[in-house]
Amino acid sequence: MQQFRFISINSLAIMMLVIFACTIYYFSGFLDFPSAYSSISLVPKSRSSLLGAYRKWDSEVGCQQFRHKYKGLIRSNNSVSVQDAYGEVKCSVLKMNHVAVLVKGRTWLPDNLDNLYSCRCGLSCLWTKSPVLVDKPDALLFETTLPPLLRKKGDPLRVYLDLEPGRRRSAVEDIFISYHASDDIQATYAGGLFHNNRNYKLSSTKNDDILVYWSSSRCVPKRNRLAKSLLSLLPHHSFGKCLNNVGGRNKALSLYPECVKFKPPKWWDHLHCAMSHYKFVLSIENTETESYVTEKLFYALDSGAVPIYFGAPNVWDFVPPHSIIDGNKFKSVEDLATYVKDLANDPIAYAEYHAWRRCGVLGNYQKTRAASLDTLPCRLCEAVSKKGGTNAKPS
């Protein structure tokens, strides 16, 4: 009897510890429980035509009025947040006609960056991860590993890239690349190389009863808490690991079979196609840092959805006029949710969030695209050429 009581006490203690641990995980955001809309039907019941919304907007507003409203942003503004990637260049400052860049070590840079580029002033630029193609590089690019501490005359220039929020220099590089305009070379996330292999079949209709697309599999506590507080107020589909309410990951592939591109399907190939069925995509950065605007926002824009964005305080320096809903501009998530619901029920007001693309009112987005990873090879090769490559003096 005494032994049984001892076992029961131990069991009770273990149970209390489990409850305590679950409570801690829940409030930290690591443990997800179904959201308020977890019981919502997985299959959207009502859909509206995006093209129909465009026609209504054309008849009642139109591009001429939209251009007048944003006339100050039709041309790229002069924001210092984005480098002028295609600014004037004096060909006479280039010391080399050909530059070869060898990418060293493990990197998340897309393989389809590897190419031979024809750049300005007749400069050719070879960017590759293959030492077979470049046995005598003019520059070595490092990302996840540090460059050599010393560089002798005749050695390749050392390039270091860091697109993470901290953007820490290696302290030994000759050229530093980051997402910020104040560094040697800026590389934004706005280009197409991130998603060249994805399915670009975009839906012409939008779900009316399930408004928001959300997908995240890195459950950062702060981001999770914010998403949970907003999504509890809006009908949504959550497809990732965090706050999943569709019965598992990759459910989008069964909901939207036309989005399957590869067999067996890849988790990433359907994102744009699936997003395109929703009026809104929730985009929350891991870190709210100046100029740190990532693919989380640009994926949504490219898919034809309206991003609900939380992140960089200067995000408007990177996106087209009237193209996103800046969540930080609302006093509360309740106010934001009310705005989203009202917008979803107003086809003309909703269509105006797409007018920038249809009317060609890009604003500073032109500079954002021009400074993307897509153009990084030529811009880096220009910088290497100006320094003279291996003939540059050791720094």
Side-chain angles (χ1 to χ4, degrees), residues 50 54 206 304-306 322 350-358:
L50 185 58
Y54 289 165
K206 298 285 186 179
V306 175
H322 198 66
Y350 180 76
E352 186 145 307
Y353 274 86
H354 298 271
W356 62 271
R357 186 188 296 107
R358 301 178 65 240

Side-chain angles (χ1 to χ4, degrees), residues 199-239:
N199 189 333
Y200 264 81
K201 184 175 182 179
L202 304 185
S203 175
S204 63
T205 60
K206 298 285 186 179
N207 301 333
D208 287 328
D209 49 346
I210 304 173
L211 299 180
V212 183
Y213 173 104
W214 162 253
S215 180
S216 176
S217 293
R218 184 183 172 194
C219 304
V220 179
K222 183 180 178 182
R223 183 173 61 188
N224 242 33
R225 287 192 295 270
L226 176 56
K228 186 182 295 184
S229 64
L230 178 61
L231 294 178
S232 67
L233 303 172
L234 293 167
H236 66 281
H237 276 163
S238 179
F239 291 103

Side-chain angles (χ1 to χ4, degrees), residues 42 238-241 244-255:
L42 292 184
S238 179
F239 291 103
K241 177 183 175 184
N244 188 288
N245 71 342
V246 294
R249 299 170 73 180
N250 286 332
K251 202 70 176 181
L253 295 173
S254 57
L255 282 175

Side-chain angles (χ1 to χ4, degrees), residues 247-292:
R249 299 170 73 180
N250 286 332
K251 202 70 176 181
L253 295 173
S254 57
L255 282 175
Y256 310 110
E258 72 275 17
C259 293
V260 177
K261 182 176 181 180
F262 297 106
K263 293 185 178 180
K266 308 294 184 182
W267 70 266
W268 44 262
D269 71 338
H270 65 276
L271 289 182
H272 285 79
C273 179
M275 283 180 181
S276 72
H277 290 78
Y278 299 83
K279 290 183 177 179
F280 307 97
V281 171
L282 180 57
S283 306
I284 308 176
E285 303 288 8
N286 296 342
T287 305
E288 293 185 7
T289 301
E290 179 191 309
S291 299
Y292 185 64

